[in-house]
């Protein structure tokens, strides 16, 4: 294990150790150890999710098993999701803007102030967004352009509960001198009544696998209300 990653793991473990010693958190920490190392999908009950002291998400990275991660920090509008084995996913308005601990990490995304996901008006999301990214795969200043389209009344299932969403389908065009041109689709499911993001499916670059995130704690709070 790299020194940085080892230190990061100790920080994460310490954070959860001091925040709670509940049965729910102990189960969470036990499950998170399987990240990238097990073919078994992690599943949590509604009670485990609602009793957790930290917001929880399911994460599926490519064809790997589904795991849980917890919200460690919110800094300057960025949500920092942690796993016990040294992975951090950083999101802003639901957009993955940086990763730590993956095979090829996303280092930087430009022009976030113009990201259509920032707006609260659904139809304002239907517009083009241009930015550049840096990754650990040797992609620096690579151009990405996307156009988002809305599909309303899309039903998704979270914890066996059916929830009505507005689905935002983002068609991404990638152009790099080193890696050529590529296209893929990112998708975001926003709860139709509250506007909260419940699920996303995103690729960080042409070389990355798809990261699927389900916002468990948000969904449970909506169900309870």
């Amino acid at each position: 294990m790299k020194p940085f990653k080892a230190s990061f793991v100790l920080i994460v473990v310490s954070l959860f150790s001091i925040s709670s010693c509940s049965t729910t958190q102990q189960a969470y920490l036990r499950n998170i150890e399987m990240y990238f190392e097990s073919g078994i999908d992690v599943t949590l009950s509604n009670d485990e999710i609602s009793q957790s002291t930290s917001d929880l998400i399911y994460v599926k990275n490519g064809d790997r098993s589904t795991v849980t991660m917890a919200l460690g920090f919110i800094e300057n509008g960025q949500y920092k999701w942690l796993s016990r084995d040294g992975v951090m996913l950083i999101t802003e308005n639901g957009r993955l803007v940086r990763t730590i601990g993956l095979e090829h990490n996303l280092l930087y995304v430009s022009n976030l102030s113009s990201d259509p996901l920032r707006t609260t008006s659904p139809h304002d999301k239907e517009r083009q967004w241009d930015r550049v990214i840096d990754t650990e795969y040797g992609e620096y200043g690579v151009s990405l352009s996307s156009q988002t389209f809305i599909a309303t009344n899309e039903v998704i299932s979270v914890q066996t509960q059916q929830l009505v969403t507005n689905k935002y389908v983002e068609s991404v065009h990638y152009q790099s001198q080193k890696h050529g041109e590529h296209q893929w689709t990112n998708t975001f499911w926003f709860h139709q009544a509250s506007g909260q993001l419940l699920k996303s499916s995103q690729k960080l670059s042409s070389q990355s696998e798809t990261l699927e995130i389900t916002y468990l704690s948000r969904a449970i709070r909506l169900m309870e209300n």
Side-chain angles (χ1 to χ4, degrees), residues 85-101:
D85 66 343
V87 173
M88 178 186 286
L89 303 181
I90 302 173
T91 62
E92 185 171 332
N93 301 298
R95 174 87 55 191
L96 283 161
V97 297
R98 191 181 175 201
T99 64
I100 297 171

mmCIF file of all heavy atoms in Angstrom, residues 85-101:
data_model
loop_
_atom_site.group_PDB
_atom_site.id
_atom_site.type_symbol
_atom_site.label_atom_id
_atom_site.label_comp_id
_atom_site.label_asym_id
_atom_site.label_seq_id
_atom_site.Cartn_x
_atom_site.Cartn_y
_atom_site.Cartn_z
ATOM 1 N N ASP A 85 -11.092 1.756 2.555
ATOM 2 C CA ASP A 85 -9.847 1.312 1.922
ATOM 3 C C ASP A 85 -9.156 2.416 1.139
ATOM 4 O O ASP A 85 -8.276 2.159 0.336
ATOM 5 C CB ASP A 85 -10.098 0.095 1.023
ATOM 6 C CG ASP A 85 -10.979 0.434 -0.171
ATOM 7 O OD1 ASP A 85 -11.644 1.481 -0.139
ATOM 8 O OD2 ASP A 85 -10.989 -0.347 -1.133
ATOM 9 N N GLY A 86 -9.515 3.672 1.389
ATOM 10 C CA GLY A 86 -8.752 4.776 0.821
ATOM 11 C C GLY A 86 -9.279 5.363 -0.450
ATOM 12 O O GLY A 86 -8.544 6.048 -1.163
ATOM 13 N N VAL A 87 -10.544 5.122 -0.792
ATOM 14 C CA VAL A 87 -11.146 5.736 -1.972
ATOM 15 C C VAL A 87 -11.972 6.940 -1.549
ATOM 16 O O VAL A 87 -12.686 6.883 -0.549
ATOM 17 C CB VAL A 87 -12.040 4.724 -2.728
ATOM 18 C CG1 VAL A 87 -12.799 5.411 -3.860
ATOM 19 C CG2 VAL A 87 -11.196 3.586 -3.283
ATOM 20 N N MET A 88 -11.842 8.028 -2.285
ATOM 21 C CA MET A 88 -12.679 9.207 -2.071
ATOM 22 C C MET A 88 -13.283 9.629 -3.401
ATOM 23 O O MET A 88 -12.578 9.738 -4.404
ATOM 24 C CB MET A 88 -11.882 10.379 -1.486
ATOM 25 C CG MET A 88 -12.722 11.648 -1.287
ATOM 26 S SD MET A 88 -11.761 13.109 -0.760
ATOM 27 C CE MET A 88 -11.452 12.680 0.954
ATOM 28 N N LEU A 89 -14.590 9.829 -3.404
ATOM 29 C CA LEU A 89 -15.293 10.396 -4.543
ATOM 30 C C LEU A 89 -15.762 11.787 -4.149
ATOM 31 O O LEU A 89 -16.395 11.958 -3.100
ATOM 32 C CB LEU A 89 -16.502 9.539 -4.927
ATOM 33 C CG LEU A 89 -16.252 8.070 -5.256
ATOM 34 C CD1 LEU A 89 -17.564 7.390 -5.642
ATOM 35 C CD2 LEU A 89 -15.226 7.917 -6.373
ATOM 36 N N ILE A 90 -15.443 12.771 -4.971
ATOM 37 C CA ILE A 90 -15.818 14.155 -4.685
ATOM 38 C C ILE A 90 -16.832 14.597 -5.732
ATOM 39 O O ILE A 90 -16.558 14.539 -6.936
ATOM 40 C CB ILE A 90 -14.591 15.074 -4.691
ATOM 41 C CG1 ILE A 90 -13.570 14.576 -3.650
ATOM 42 C CG2 ILE A 90 -14.994 16.518 -4.399
ATOM 43 C CD1 ILE A 90 -12.247 15.305 -3.687
ATOM 44 N N THR A 91 -18.007 15.024 -5.266
ATOM 45 C CA THR A 91 -19.067 15.452 -6.174
ATOM 46 C C THR A 91 -19.437 16.900 -5.901
ATOM 47 O O THR A 91 -19.352 17.377 -4.765
ATOM 48 C CB THR A 91 -20.326 14.576 -6.026
ATOM 49 O OG1 THR A 91 -20.853 14.702 -4.698
ATOM 50 C CG2 THR A 91 -20.012 13.118 -6.316
ATOM 51 N N GLU A 92 -19.872 17.571 -6.945
ATOM 52 C CA GLU A 92 -20.397 18.931 -6.836
ATOM 53 C C GLU A 92 -21.675 18.998 -7.663
ATOM 54 O O GLU A 92 -21.643 18.757 -8.866
ATOM 55 C CB GLU A 92 -19.371 19.952 -7.346
ATOM 56 C CG GLU A 92 -19.809 21.392 -7.139
ATOM 57 C CD GLU A 92 -18.707 22.393 -7.438
ATOM 58 O OE1 GLU A 92 -17.510 22.045 -7.287
ATOM 59 O OE2 GLU A 92 -19.040 23.536 -7.811
ATOM 60 N N ASN A 93 -22.791 19.263 -6.992
ATOM 61 C CA ASN A 93 -24.111 19.221 -7.633
ATOM 62 C C ASN A 93 -24.378 17.856 -8.274
ATOM 63 O O ASN A 93 -25.060 17.762 -9.287
ATOM 64 C CB ASN A 93 -24.236 20.328 -8.678
ATOM 65 C CG ASN A 93 -24.041 21.709 -8.087
ATOM 66 O OD1 ASN A 93 -24.798 22.129 -7.224
ATOM 67 N ND2 ASN A 93 -23.002 22.398 -8.544
ATOM 68 N N GLY A 94 -23.825 16.815 -7.685
ATOM 69 C CA GLY A 94 -23.990 15.462 -8.211
ATOM 70 C C GLY A 94 -22.973 15.062 -9.252
ATOM 71 O O GLY A 94 -22.875 13.885 -9.616
ATOM 72 N N ARG A 95 -22.202 16.000 -9.736
ATOM 73 C CA ARG A 95 -21.164 15.733 -10.739
ATOM 74 C C ARG A 95 -19.895 15.233 -10.046
ATOM 75 O O ARG A 95 -19.416 15.831 -9.078
ATOM 76 C CB ARG A 95 -20.838 17.016 -11.489
ATOM 77 C CG ARG A 95 -19.668 16.925 -12.463
ATOM 78 C CD ARG A 95 -20.074 16.462 -13.790
ATOM 79 N NE ARG A 95 -21.132 17.302 -14.343
ATOM 80 C CZ ARG A 95 -21.826 16.997 -15.424
ATOM 81 N NH1 ARG A 95 -21.563 15.884 -16.073
ATOM 82 N NH2 ARG A 95 -22.786 17.799 -15.877
ATOM 83 N N LEU A 96 -19.318 14.140 -10.545
ATOM 84 C CA LEU A 96 -18.015 13.701 -10.065
ATOM 85 C C LEU A 96 -16.955 14.653 -10.601
ATOM 86 O O LEU A 96 -16.780 14.782 -11.819
ATOM 87 C CB LEU A 96 -17.728 12.272 -10.529
ATOM 88 C CG LEU A 96 -18.460 11.176 -9.752
ATOM 89 C CD1 LEU A 96 -18.482 9.876 -10.547
ATOM 90 C CD2 LEU A 96 -17.801 10.950 -8.396
ATOM 91 N N VAL A 97 -16.246 15.328 -9.682
ATOM 92 C CA VAL A 97 -15.268 16.333 -10.100
ATOM 93 C C VAL A 97 -13.838 15.945 -9.725
ATOM 94 O O VAL A 97 -12.885 16.553 -10.215
ATOM 95 C CB VAL A 97 -15.607 17.711 -9.506
ATOM 96 C CG1 VAL A 97 -16.954 18.195 -10.034
ATOM 97 C CG2 VAL A 97 -15.612 17.690 -7.981
ATOM 98 N N ARG A 98 -13.690 14.933 -8.867
ATOM 99 C CA ARG A 98 -12.350 14.464 -8.519
ATOM 100 C C ARG A 98 -12.475 13.118 -7.827
ATOM 101 O O ARG A 98 -13.481 12.847 -7.156
ATOM 102 C CB ARG A 98 -11.632 15.453 -7.596
ATOM 103 C CG ARG A 98 -10.140 15.144 -7.431
ATOM 104 C CD ARG A 98 -9.455 16.118 -6.503
ATOM 105 N NE ARG A 98 -8.072 15.720 -6.272
ATOM 106 C CZ ARG A 98 -7.344 16.113 -5.225
ATOM 107 N NH1 ARG A 98 -7.849 16.923 -4.316
ATOM 108 N NH2 ARG A 98 -6.094 15.706 -5.085
ATOM 109 N N THR A 99 -11.466 12.256 -8.000
ATOM 110 C CA THR A 99 -11.434 10.973 -7.306
ATOM 111 C C THR A 99 -10.046 10.730 -6.739
ATOM 112 O O THR A 99 -9.042 11.230 -7.261
ATOM 113 C CB THR A 99 -11.813 9.805 -8.238
ATOM 114 O OG1 THR A 99 -10.829 9.681 -9.274
ATOM 115 C CG2 THR A 99 -13.192 10.012 -8.846
ATOM 116 N N ILE A 100 -9.992 9.953 -5.660
ATOM 117 C CA ILE A 100 -8.738 9.546 -5.035
ATOM 118 C C ILE A 100 -8.823 8.052 -4.764
ATOM 119 O O ILE A 100 -9.831 7.564 -4.256
ATOM 120 C CB ILE A 100 -8.489 10.304 -3.719
ATOM 121 C CG1 ILE A 100 -8.349 11.804 -3.969
ATOM 122 C CG2 ILE A 100 -7.245 9.769 -2.999
ATOM 123 C CD1 ILE A 100 -8.305 12.648 -2.706
ATOM 124 N N GLY A 101 -7.807 7.321 -5.143
ATOM 125 C CA GLY A 101 -7.738 5.903 -4.809
ATOM 126 C C GLY A 101 -8.218 4.960 -5.893
ATOM 127 O O GLY A 101 -8.173 3.743 -5.704
#
